[in-house]
Amino acid sequence: MTLIATSRERGIATLTLDSPANRNALSAALVGELREALAECAGDDTVRAVVLTHTGSTFCAGADLTAPPDPEAFVGLMREIVALPKPVVARVTGHVRAGGLGLLAACDIAVAGEASSFALTESRLGLAPAVISLTLLPRVDRTAANRYYLTGERFDAAEAARIGLVTVAAEDVEKGLAPVLDGLRRASPQGLAASKELVTATVLRSFDQYAEDLIARSAALFASDEAREGMTAFLERRDPAWVR
């Protein structure tokens, strides 16, 4: 079964996360297919930009706890989005959780609708937003990061725009997306690639410097007793033992 649907229109390639049964969770299979689709876009001279969107009510629920990707593969996916020589625009009309925020933050531009909601739920599972910090912290206001990293609270599209996670919070996503795509279609391929390289250089250096350490931290947390309790409680739809 294909987990990434693809389409082309006037130089824009749309990649759709199409695994609604598990809320487009980051499984090993989905991560692998998305990396392949991005590589195809990178090598296609007719593609001016990429739109990353989703089916169902959830953009991405974070890691698939039943079939998680290798951490290095997920980090590779985020880096490939950042390094892709073509802009990647997220179109979000649903919920984004945990690792899904790292995927979203890797995109160059994000347009989110009123039905969207966001939460970094890792701390409630005995984990931390470790590897996704590579894309989140360069984008998100530090005061907001302090709050949402620690509390796991849910916030809406307007707040996501205020703190820098998304570019536009739109009442109508298509109307919010239209001027962005028009601008990308009017730009030259060389101009887009060179301009993106300027704004992503610092983020890519951060990947090269910190990714290995953050992967190790993430693995240690996932292997801990607290994380096992947190993930078991989540799957059993109950509070973990530490909740007071």
Side-chain angles (χ1 to χ4, degrees):
M1 184 178 74
T2 300
L3 302 177
I4 306 295
T6 63
S7 63
R8 304 278 196 279
E9 183 182 1
R10 295 179 53 213
I12 305 297
T14 298
L15 306 182
T16 303
L17 306 181
D18 191 20
S19 183
N22 68 350
R23 301 189 302 150
N24 294 316
L26 294 162
S27 64
L30 185 142
V31 167
E33 285 192 27
L34 184 51
R35 294 183 77 177
E36 290 176 6
L38 287 166
E40 289 180 10
C41 291
D44 187 341
D45 291 339
T46 69
V47 172
R48 183 67 52 84
V50 176
V51 170
L52 181 62
T53 189
H54 61 101
T55 58
S57 62
T58 301
F59 174 79
C60 179
D64 184 341
L65 299 182
T66 63
D70 180 88
E72 291 186 4
F74 179 50
V75 169
L77 168 61
M78 291 191 296
R79 194 186 194 286
E80 285 158 15
I81 293 172
V82 175
L84 199 77
K86 302 175 184 189
V88 180
V89 181
R91 175 189 174 277
V92 182
T93 60
H95 309 302
V96 192
R97 297 290 183 268
L101 273 75
L103 183 65
L104 174 65
C107 298
D108 303 290
I109 299 169
V111 179
E114 287 185 327
S116 304
S117 72
F118 308 82
L120 289 158
T121 54
E122 286 88 346
S123 66
R124 299 187 180 193
L125 299 176
L127 303 168
V131 296
I132 63 174
S133 290
L134 291 164
T135 58
L136 277 171
L137 291 182
R139 290 186 75 113
V140 173
D141 172 82
R142 182 53 62 94
T143 301
N146 289 344
R147 176 176 180 174
Y148 296 121
Y149 266 49
L150 298 175
T151 67
E153 293 171 88
R154 185 172 61 183
F155 53 95
D156 62 14
E159 175 70 351
R162 186 191 71 81
I163 68 177
L165 176 62
V166 305
T167 314
V168 179
E171 184 175 340
D172 184 315
V173 172
E174 302 312 323
K175 288 183 178 178
L177 200 58
V180 172
L181 298 185
D182 180 65
L184 296 176
R185 286 183 170 116
R186 291 176 182 276
S188 81
Q190 175 178 282
L192 287 175
S195 297
K196 176 168 177 173
E197 187 176 12
L198 290 172
V199 296
T200 59
T202 301
V203 180
L204 291 174
R205 285 196 294 270
S206 179
F207 269 85
D208 295 338
Q209 186 171 357
Y210 299 117
E212 186 174 341
D213 174 62
L214 289 171
I215 289 170
R217 288 197 210 183
S218 180
L221 286 167
F222 267 95
S224 69
D225 290 339
E226 278 195 17
R228 279 192 289 273
E229 165 61 10
M231 289 185 283
T232 300
F234 175 79
L235 294 171
E236 294 177 352
R237 298 180 181 275
R238 62 172 175 82
D239 285 338
W242 58 75
V243 172
R244 296 290 182 266

